[in-house]
Amino acid sequence: MKGQVALITGASRGIGRATALALAGAGAHVVLMARSQGGLEETDDMIRAAGGTATLLPLDFIKEADQLDMLGPSIVQRFGRLDILVHAAGLLAKLTPAGHIPPRDWSESLAVNATAAYRLIRACDPPLRAAPAGRALFLHDVHAEEPTAYWSLYSSAKAAQANLVRCWAAEVARSPLKVALVDPGPVATKLRAAGFPGEDPAKLRQPEEVGTAILALLGQDFAHGATLPI
């Protein structure tokens, strides 16, 4: 991936960080996006220690969503291209009955788990289509396909993201750009621990394994709009 530029959200920890490390290790310059400045700096330190390069872009999808609109043009202006988008950011708010969801929690879940994807697509579609072999992957979750009691807040937003991504994939089907959902299954992340606090994280897949798998997927020719298990 030498010479390619990749934008990775949720890069301050978990799957986003692991993906950033994998892509940077393969030669890509990674643009790291997350809410936590400190977490991004930790990821950056790890990348640089391994000989890679990164640019930090701290941004809160809830409070600063409008700034996403100029993201694609800004990356092209600075680096001349954008080849890869991996949207790994996610938010698990309260697990609660559907009738008890607070309006603020509903808005924040949609902002991170659905609206951010819309803004990323809107901003990054032109440079990704212009790339020789553009790739866009969005982290998916089984709860978007299998509605479960008390998970309506999270699963509704993830289902919205999934359908948005599938529509976009159909629209770019005749271009070199490939768009897909990625379902990593249960992974030892902070989000997973919030939903399943009784699990032993040592018995789950680790983010590093998922990051390596995503790197491999980016080099493959997958079907438009597919949900790719890894």
Side-chain angles (χ1 to χ4, degrees):
M1 292 194 170
K2 187 175 182 180
Q4 295 192 42
V5 176
L7 171 63
I8 303 167
T9 71
S12 61
R13 62 173 182 256
I15 294 174
R17 170 180 285 178
T19 301
L21 288 167
L23 270 63
H29 180 81
V30 291
V31 179
L32 309 177
M33 180 181 292
R35 180 174 56 182
S36 168
Q37 174 76 32
L40 288 178
E41 290 175 353
E42 291 176 3
T43 304
D44 183 46
D45 288 344
M46 297 168 72
I47 288 171
R48 294 183 185 279
T53 62
T55 297
L56 278 58
L57 188 56
L59 191 144
D60 189 322
F61 287 155
I62 297 170
K63 300 177 181 178
E64 303 170 307
D66 290 349
Q67 295 186 27
L68 284 171
D69 293 343
M70 290 303 298
L71 184 60
S74 297
I75 290 176
V76 172
Q77 182 178 23
R78 180 165 181 180
F79 303 108
R81 62 192 294 169
L82 177 62
D83 302 273
I84 296 165
L85 167 64
V86 179
H87 184 34
L91 173 68
L92 178 62
K94 296 180 179 69
L95 298 182
T96 185
H100 295 176
I101 297 172
R104 179 177 177 178
D105 289 353
W106 177 261
S107 297
E108 291 184 353
S109 181
L110 283 175
V112 177
N113 298 317
T115 304
Y118 144 68
R119 288 191 178 271
L120 286 167
I121 291 170
R122 185 168 178 260
C124 298
D125 176 278
L128 286 172
R129 288 202 200 208
R135 295 288 185 270
L137 298 178
F138 295 74
L139 266 289
H140 189 55
D141 191 290
V142 67
H143 288 96
E145 310 291 344
E146 300 175 7
T148 305
Y150 309 113
W151 282 78
S152 56
L153 180 59
Y154 178 72
S155 63
S156 297
K158 293 297 283 188
Q161 174 181 274
N163 283 309
L164 172 67
V165 171
R166 288 167 178 148
C167 289
W168 185 37
E171 292 162 5
V172 302
R174 295 183 180 275
S175 77
L177 171 61
K178 290 294 184 73
V179 177
L181 299 163
V182 175
D183 184 359
V187 183
T189 63
K190 185 176 181 180
L191 188 150
R192 178 77 185 185
F196 299 90
E199 282 185 333
D200 180 359
K203 296 181 179 179
L204 300 176
R205 295 181 76 189
Q206 298 303 304
E208 294 74 18
E209 181 183 350
V210 177
T212 301
I214 288 175
L215 172 62
L217 278 178
L218 289 169
Q220 298 175 10
D221 186 20
F222 47 79
H224 284 282
T227 300
L228 307 173
I230 56 174

